[in-house]
Amino acid sequence: MPAQSARRATTLAATLAAPLLAVAPACAEEIALDRIDVAGARGREQAAAGLNLATPSRSGSRLGLTPLETPASLDIISGETIRARGQNTVEEAVTQNAVGITSIGAPGNGNLAFTSRGFAGAGSVQQLYDGTRLYVGAGTVTFPFDTWSAERIEVLRGPASVLYGEGAIGGIINVVPKKPSFVPIGEARAAIGSDGLARLALDSGGPVGEDLAYRLNLSGNRADGWVKPDGDFRNIALSAAVTWRAAPDLSVTLSHDLGYNEPARYWGSPLVGTRVPDRLRFTNYNIQDSQIAWFDNWTQLRTEWNPSPDITIRNTAYRLSTERHWRDVEQYTYQPATGLIRRSDYIEIFHHEEQIGNRLDATLRGSLLGFKSTTVIGFDVNHIDFRRDSNAPFGGETFVDPFNFAQGRFINLAGTRTDIVSRTRQASAFAENRLELTPQFALVTGLRYDAPNVAVSRPLAGSRFEKTFDSTSYRVGAVYTPTPDLALYAQYATAADPLGSLITTSVAQSQFQLATGEQVEAGAKGLFDGGRGEWTFAAYHIRKDDLLTPIPDRPTEVAQVGSQSSRGVEVAVAYQLSEAWRIEANTALLRARYDNFAQTIGGALLSFTGKVPVDVPQRVTNVWLSYAFAPGWVARLGVNDVGPVFSDFANTVKRPAYTLLNATLDWQVTPTSRLSLRGYNLTDQLYAVSGNGNSWLLGRPRSVELAYHVTF
């Protein structure tokens, strides 16, 4: 770290430590989340159906606050709810349950890329596993993808840089795995479905003696796929953990997670005019020897020590690694003059990434200036090595008949060589505080300083750079609870986003600093009808500055003066209408725009000010209705409605809105077994998950699954 950054970090650490000197021990105040990982019966699901406004979380704050206590918008989706609704992937679980989140997943970004509050992609919507982030190289995240091992998924909407660093102006998605349990647990599932689909899954956990407990989750999926040829996929995910209660106040958990994924080698369907014709819907135009494979490993050692009722110290040491391989032809363009499909961008890419890090934080509960106070202070360090091998500049093209074509084989014009090597050393210090000024009014504040030092070499271009992209983020919020079942809140937060993927920053981007942003949000949350119902309302305005845009009188040069913004409202409700009927619904309406943005195209400067950002819908609605119509029987109907989006800056290429209908029917065969029939996209709507001006990556057509679930 350069000397200037080191001095800043030292100064900040002293500033953050100051509040701790004023915190005196007080009477014990239990924060339930402090002991979630090692609680006996709590090894099972922590969250339940509904909005979980009273469930402690560590995604919206490191203080272990519930959503009612957090001055931000936070969704907690239980694993049981996810699996009951037949959502087998993280992408399905997030987009069909969380408020206002949509997918722009494609094989190139690991099928895990999202939009939130007007901002899109892994550089603005950060993804975590058990509270730890994998630094994104070349815009790609590939794990976790399976929901079987998820205890819950937590989604924080709006800037989260104060918690997790740069790259989270739109929010974060945190998949929390199941934990070791001191109560015996056993579950298994088998499923078959359309297009040769088969699933197997196992969940086992329990004590091994008095002080040791384990959890093992294993799941595998395969299918022939709905596009032909080579639309098949297969994957396997493993999550294993063991917890040792070394002492009444000390616990240690060692976990290892891995995922191997060979997704469908499908990159999209060509547009004819402005749509994909039905006759091309099920045809895959990829090559015969195409390949996509991703292999991720995550190892964590977590230690929690409670030396007194008012002090909790946590340390997490981790190693994350990923190996990825793509070999495909990825662009398909219909040629009106000949009626042929032009296939271009013959791409082979390898990713090799390793991240080793450690996070230490301490929670102190006591008093500050005579007021009840909880403070967290800590630091996070990482070392990330990344290498990309590719056949850039990705040449090659072929022309094929849409209906009768030979797949052909991969064309490698340039040869596959190492073209990016990067080393990143990241260090950060963070602090949060909740100050209870009255029993009804509390201030929640946070501060974080990040100093990632990035060194990138591009051997083929003969260029390299090294730079520290430091940033400071903070949040100031207030929560007023006039009654225990109602919370009114407001907050101001700042954020930082990379101009691309931080650890693969280009030489051109290295001349600039991180983009910055700020959000103002206000809202209300509450319970009603004796806790049978929950609701939330939020209104916000986010502005992101320092985008790269050409200089008007020098269009070949760029300046960091661009900006975009979004404003919107979000509403969610969950209500147990009767013993038989339950509804959960949410909607997000927003207005997102480029405020100052342009690009140089064909030597001409084109302004896109006032246009809607690429891939951002202006409305998203989810509804789930369940009906227990007879003893042992439950029917569920889900609606996922997503507004239209644009695929280009000029807003001339539109992907239409779509509405998906999904349903499940459960029969409790015995007290320990359940049979489930699941239907997806019941109206068989043709819709695009992502795409460009030449092709759309289509979502799956109507399909069914039959699953059998047992507990033991």
Side-chain angles (χ1 to χ4, degrees):
M1 184 186 302
Q4 183 179 9
S5 297
R7 287 194 297 272
R8 291 182 182 176
T10 303
T11 302
L12 181 71
T15 303
L16 297 180
L20 300 185
L21 302 178
V23 177
C27 60
E29 175 192 18
E30 178 179 341
I31 293 184
L33 201 72
D34 288 347
R35 296 166 177 82
I36 273 182
D37 290 355
V38 296
R42 293 179 187 175
R44 292 190 180 271
E45 302 293 339
Q46 297 299 311
L51 305 185
N52 289 291
L53 295 181
T55 300
S57 160
R58 289 183 64 81
S59 296
S61 167
R62 298 188 190 276
L63 297 166
L65 305 179
T66 68
L68 271 179
E69 298 169 322
T70 305
S73 296
L74 180 65
D75 298 315
I76 301 178
I77 313 160
S78 77
E80 285 300 314
T81 296
I82 291 167
R83 290 182 283 276
R85 293 173 179 174
Q87 296 156 348
N88 296 295
T89 68
V90 170
E91 182 262 346
E92 291 174 333
V94 171
T95 58
Q96 296 176 22
N97 296 315
V99 182
I101 310 295
T102 60
S103 171
I104 51 171
N109 54 40
N111 292 325
L112 286 170
F114 300 91
T115 73
S116 175
R117 292 194 169 180
F119 300 89
S124 293
V125 184
Q126 195 178 107
Q127 295 167 62
L128 316 173
Y129 188 63
D130 205 13
T132 299
R133 63 176 291 194
L134 174 66
Y135 276 76
V136 178
T140 305
V141 178
T142 49
F143 188 83
F145 52 85
D146 191 288
T147 58
W148 174 257
S149 64
E151 178 187 284
R152 63 189 183 275
I153 297 178
E154 301 179 346
V155 180
L156 176 66
R157 308 189 305 279
S161 296
V162 69
L163 296 170
Y164 305 105
E166 44 68 40
I169 194 170
I172 62 99
I173 296 168
N174 183 19
V175 179
V176 181
K178 299 171 183 174
K179 305 298 185 184
S181 169
F182 283 87
V183 173
I185 291 174
E187 295 182 75
R189 181 193 67 189
I192 57 174
S194 305
D195 303 308
L197 182 137
R199 306 185 193 275
L200 286 174
L202 172 69
D203 178 8
S204 177
V208 183
E210 293 185 359
D211 300 321
L212 202 66
Y214 79 97
R215 195 68 175 268
L216 175 66
N217 275 267
L218 181 65
S219 61
N221 307 274
R222 68 156 308 278
D224 298 329
W226 56 271
V227 291
K228 308 293 182 184
D230 299 329
D232 57 302
F233 70 85
R234 60 176 179 162
N235 58 62
I236 188 169
L238 169 70
S239 177
V242 60
T243 291
W244 174 40
R245 287 176 171 169
D249 60 356
L250 177 65
S251 66
V252 180
T253 299
L254 176 65
S255 64
H256 183 73
D257 299 86
L258 67 82
Y260 180 77
N261 195 352
E262 291 186 11
R265 289 156 287 170
Y266 166 66
W267 289 85
S269 301
L271 295 172
V272 178
T274 60
R275 58 185 292 271
V276 175
D278 289 338
R279 66 185 185 276
L280 302 185
R281 180 181 185 183
F282 300 101
T283 303
N284 187 7
Y285 292 95
N286 211 336
I287 50 176
Q288 180 180 348
D289 55 344
S290 62
Q291 184 175 358
I292 307 176
W294 307 319
F295 186 41
D296 296 89
N297 279 276
W298 298 51
T299 302
Q300 294 191 99
L301 180 65
R302 304 167 71 97
T303 304
E304 181 174 318
W305 179 38
N306 296 277
S308 78
D310 297 324
I311 300 175
T312 300
I313 298 174
R314 300 183 186 86
N315 190 82
T316 303
Y318 46 89
R319 176 186 180 272
L320 318 175
S321 69
T322 186
E323 298 288 331
R324 307 182 183 120
H325 181 210
W326 295 264
R327 185 177 61 232
D328 306 271
V329 56
E330 300 183 5
Q331 291 296 320
Y332 316 118
T333 307
Y334 178 71
Q335 308 292 301
T338 62
L340 300 179
I341 306 296
R342 177 180 178 264
R343 304 189 305 183
S344 59
D345 289 9
Y346 281 74
I347 294 177
E348 181 168 51
I349 292 176
F350 292 87
H351 284 181
H352 315 275
E353 182 174 356
E354 180 184 57
Q355 175 182 336
I356 299 174
N358 192 86
R359 182 173 60 254
L360 173 69
D361 64 71
T363 302
L364 294 92
R365 294 171 283 276
S367 63
L368 177 63
L369 303 176
F371 300 104
K372 192 175 181 180
S373 173
T374 303
T375 300
V376 172
I377 186 169
F379 69 86
D380 196 352
V381 293
N382 286 276
H383 180 97
I384 306 104
D385 288 313
F386 179 87
R387 189 181 89 235
R388 188 183 84 164
D389 306 329
S390 83
N391 68 325
F394 312 126
E397 68 174 16
T398 53
F399 295 84
V400 297
D401 186 289
F403 309 106
N404 183 21
F405 68 96
Q407 286 182 273
R409 302 185 69 84
F410 186 70
I411 300 172
N412 196 340
L413 296 181
T416 302
R417 304 155 295 173
T418 299
D419 64 347
I420 299 177
V421 178
S422 80
R423 185 268 303 147
T424 304
R425 294 171 180 163
Q426 178 267 352
S428 64
F430 54 84
E432 285 186 83
N433 175 263
R434 182 178 188 269
L435 191 63
E436 193 173 298
L437 299 179
T438 73
Q440 291 78 36
F441 185 75
L443 295 177
V444 179
T445 56
L447 179 66
R448 182 183 177 103
Y449 174 73
D450 280 276
N453 178 264
V454 182
V456 178
S457 171
R458 298 190 177 247
L460 299 182
S463 62
R464 76 176 311 274
F465 74 87
E466 181 173 351
K467 183 173 182 176
T468 297
F469 293 91
D470 60 339
S471 64
T472 301
S473 304
Y474 61 92
R475 177 173 70 181
V476 178
V479 181
Y480 174 54
T481 53
T483 69
D485 292 340
L486 175 63
L488 310 176
Y489 72 92
Q491 64 136 300
Y492 174 80
T494 66
D497 269 7
L499 299 177
S501 294
L502 182 69
I503 67 175
T504 50
T505 299
S506 69
V507 174
Q509 292 168 340
S510 69
Q511 305 173 48
F512 304 96
Q513 298 299 321
L514 302 176
T516 59
E518 60 181 6
Q519 173 185 265
V520 176
E521 178 178 341
K525 316 171 188 181
L527 288 74
F528 63 95
D529 194 11
R532 292 165 60 91
E534 300 173 282
W535 63 275
T536 66
F537 170 82
Y540 64 88
H541 179 268
I542 306 177
R543 180 181 173 89
K544 180 177 177 179
D545 295 310
D546 301 321
L547 306 182
L548 295 183
T549 186
I551 300 172
D553 57 348
R554 295 187 301 243
T556 60
E557 302 177 35
V558 295
Q560 200 167 16
V561 296
S563 63
Q564 70 180 90
S565 65
S566 67
R567 62 186 65 185
V569 295
E570 299 165 341
V571 180
V573 64
Y575 188 40
Q576 189 71 41
L577 300 167
S578 68
E579 292 299 317
W581 288 92
R582 179 176 182 82
I583 187 171
E584 296 184 25
N586 59 66
T587 190
L589 303 174
L590 64 91
R591 181 186 183 278
R593 294 291 186 270
Y594 291 116
D595 299 311
N596 179 19
F597 186 62
Q599 292 278 281
T600 301
I601 300 176
L605 181 65
L606 298 179
S607 173
F608 302 119
T609 298
K611 301 296 184 181
V612 178
V614 171
D615 291 329
V616 172
Q618 306 289 285
R619 73 166 196 275
V620 183
T621 299
N622 290 305
V623 179
W624 279 97
L625 185 66
S626 65
Y627 177 37
F629 58 90
W633 290 86
V634 179
R636 300 179 185 85
L637 178 66
V639 179
N640 175 222
D641 178 72
V642 178
V645 302
F646 295 103
S647 298
D648 65 328
F649 292 130
N651 292 178
T652 59
V653 181
K654 178 186 283 190
R655 303 200 301 270
Y658 61 87
T659 302
L660 303 181
L661 295 181
N662 303 309
T664 68
L665 178 63
D666 288 351
W667 174 35
Q668 197 71 35
V669 182
T670 71
T672 59
S673 64
R674 182 175 68 249
L675 192 65
S676 301
L677 179 64
R678 299 163 178 168
Y680 305 92
N681 190 7
L682 295 179
T683 61
D684 200 26
Q685 183 163 136
L686 190 155
Y687 68 100
V689 176
S690 59
N692 52 43
N694 300 322
S695 63
W696 290 347
L697 187 78
L698 301 180
R700 65 175 164 179
R702 179 167 47 231
S703 58
V704 296
E705 290 183 24
L706 184 65
Y708 188 62
H709 179 274
V710 296
T711 59
F712 51 89

